Amino acid sequence: MPKHCETLLYAEDGWDKDKILAVIQDHASVKKYVITLHDQDLQEDGSPKKALYHVYLNCGDTNVQLGHVAKWFGVKEQSVEKIKSDKNDRNQSMGMFFTIRYYTHADEPGKYVYPLSSFTANFDLEKAQKDGEDKLKNRGRKRANKQEIEDICNKCADGTITPDNFHQFVPPALYVSIKTQMERAWQYY
């Protein structure tokens, strides 16, 4: 059971933003939501696709059954999908970030790009997306740190960094966290 999910609702079936909001507001388990109308999408042949609403629902710490969400909106359970997040994404912020990014089509050349200003949400979308971008940058830095640690250990193993000169190459805070790895690498020298 997911903590956040999405559903697609077609305008031709009578859905509009107010009707969607009414359903959401009837369910206190929904903590955050995003609604966006995709009415500029095109088929491969250039003809317009059916206008549809993407509806993102975040239920905070509550697990929600997809079947229940489907009943709220009167759609088939297959029309409601779990939003995937990694286990370290405790507040589902990155799952939400990637979902909203998908809704904008920002990473899809040739598709109409939907501006965040056209979305309806009960939280600051601009801030959420900026926070998501920042988290992505930090993930990149952590990967770079892994590479930095590997490089230091390789230099320990080849004798470039020794127990006598490590302070010239390794900042004290980093040394504290990788001391054991460095000592093991020195055993190869």
Side-chain angles (χ1 to χ4, degrees):
M1 290 186 291
K3 295 183 185 328
H4 56 160
C5 61
E6 79 152 333
T7 190
L8 304 176
L9 303 170
Y10 288 89
E12 71 179 14
D13 294 334
W15 288 103
D16 63 26
K17 182 175 70 171
D18 292 334
K19 187 174 177 182
I20 295 167
L21 282 170
V23 171
I24 292 170
Q25 290 167 351
D26 281 346
H27 296 90
S29 58
V30 177
K31 306 303 181 202
K32 292 182 179 180
Y33 63 82
V34 177
I35 304 167
T36 184
L37 174 62
H38 277 206
D39 58 355
Q40 301 295 316
D41 294 346
L42 300 174
Q43 304 281 0
E44 286 185 25
D45 67 5
S47 62
K49 286 186 177 181
K50 293 179 185 179
L52 65 92
Y53 288 90
H54 286 274
V55 181
Y56 167 84
L57 303 172
N58 183 312
C59 295
D61 293 329
T62 303
N63 288 320
V64 63
Q65 292 186 13
L66 300 180
H68 290 167
V69 175
K71 286 180 186 175
W72 299 349
F73 291 100
V75 297
K76 294 179 182 176
E77 189 170 342
Q78 308 86 283
S79 299
V80 181
E81 293 185 14
K82 172 184 177 176
I83 301 294
K84 294 178 176 82
S85 293
D86 64 40
K87 62 186 172 192
N88 297 323
D89 189 16
R90 291 195 176 92
N91 66 357
Q92 303 96 40
S93 63
M94 291 310 290
M96 181 174 64
F97 166 78
F98 286 115
T99 300
I100 294 167
R101 190 157 179 88
Y102 168 74
Y103 290 170
T104 66
H105 291 170
D107 298 324
E108 299 180 49
K111 284 193 173 186
Y112 178 81
V113 177
Y114 293 91
L116 288 178
S117 61
S118 69
F119 292 28
T120 300
N122 65 342
F123 60 96
D124 186 343
L125 278 174
E126 298 279 347
K127 182 179 181 328
Q129 291 308 95
K130 183 181 179 327
D131 291 348
E133 292 285 349
D134 291 346
K135 283 184 180 181
L136 279 180
K137 288 177 187 170
N138 286 337
R139 284 182 181 178
R141 282 190 207 115
K142 286 180 183 174
R143 285 189 197 105
N145 287 342
K146 286 181 183 179
Q147 183 61 49
E148 180 183 12
I149 291 167
E150 186 177 320
D151 291 346
I152 289 169
C153 289
N154 286 337
K155 288 179 181 178
C156 290
D158 73 13
T160 305
I161 299 175
T162 68
D164 296 325
N165 71 2
F166 73 87
H167 61 280
Q168 297 171 359
F169 296 92
V170 184
L174 181 58
Y175 175 72
V176 169
S177 67
I178 66 168
K179 176 183 176 188
T180 303
Q181 290 169 277
M182 289 174 63
E183 288 171 346
R184 287 184 187 146
W186 282 323
Q187 291 174 358
Y188 290 102
Y189 177 63

